[in-house]
Each structure stands twice: as C-alpha cells, then as structure tokens.
Amino acid sequence: MYEGGVEWAIADGTTVKGSYTLVDGTVVDADAKNAPVSMDTYYITPNKCTECQGFHEEPQCAAVCPVDCCVPDEMYVETVEQLMAKKAALHI
C-alpha cells in the first residue's frame, strides 16, 4: 500500500531482483520507480497485490481500513491460483 503521490517499485517489500513482468505484460526493472496509481488517496498496485493469499485468511487492507474503502478492483479479477503464482514470483 502506498500513500497518494508516492512512486512505487516491484522491489519494495519483495525479494524480486532484475527484470519483472507486470500484469499488462510490460517488463520493468524491479528497482525502477513507477508513477503513482493515485495522487490523492492511498493505493495498492495490482502488480503487487496478492489479496494476502498465502499470508492471511483475508486481505489485510480491508481488515484494517477504518472507513471501509478497500473494495475489489473489477478490472483485476484474479483466481486464487493466479494470486498464489504472483506471491511465489514476488516472495521467493
């Protein structure tokens, strides 16, 4: 989760080094900074979100959000298998 206006990188909080393929097929350097998803609100990039699969029983963003604003992104619907594969790629 990132504060609005803050750039993000695949390497932030992961074990990824070198090249990484984003959900849209773009290949980036894991340390490269990417444009913020939002300038005004906290955000979660779908390139890194695993919905806490393999870590917790429920997505922790929604569990701790004080205003219930963490809602599923209908543009990025993934199966448990896809989320677990993303977890494996991000957390070696």
Side-chain angles (χ1 to χ4, degrees):
M1 186 174 287
Y2 293 88
E3 185 175 349
V6 173
E7 294 180 328
W8 63 275
I10 289 294
D12 298 341
T14 72
T15 58
V16 178
K17 305 275 188 243
S19 297
Y20 187 85
T21 304
L22 302 178
V23 294
D24 68 359
T26 304
V27 177
V28 299
D29 182 273
D31 291 313
K33 293 297 183 181
N34 299 283
V37 173
S38 172
M39 295 304 287
D40 302 320
T41 60
Y42 281 85
Y43 68 89
I44 299 168
T45 175
N47 290 288
K48 295 175 67 177
C49 180
T50 63
E51 297 181 20
C52 294
Q53 287 293 323
F55 295 107
H56 302 282
E57 291 184 22
E58 64 182 346
Q60 294 300 287
C61 60
V64 301
C65 183
V67 292
D68 295 326
C69 65
C70 292
V71 296
D73 185 341
E74 293 177 11
M75 292 182 61
Y76 297 100
V77 177
E78 297 170 291
T79 65
V80 170
E81 291 78 20
Q82 289 170 313
L83 294 167
M84 290 298 288
K86 189 187 305 182
K87 174 194 173 279
L90 291 168
H91 303 283
I92 301 169

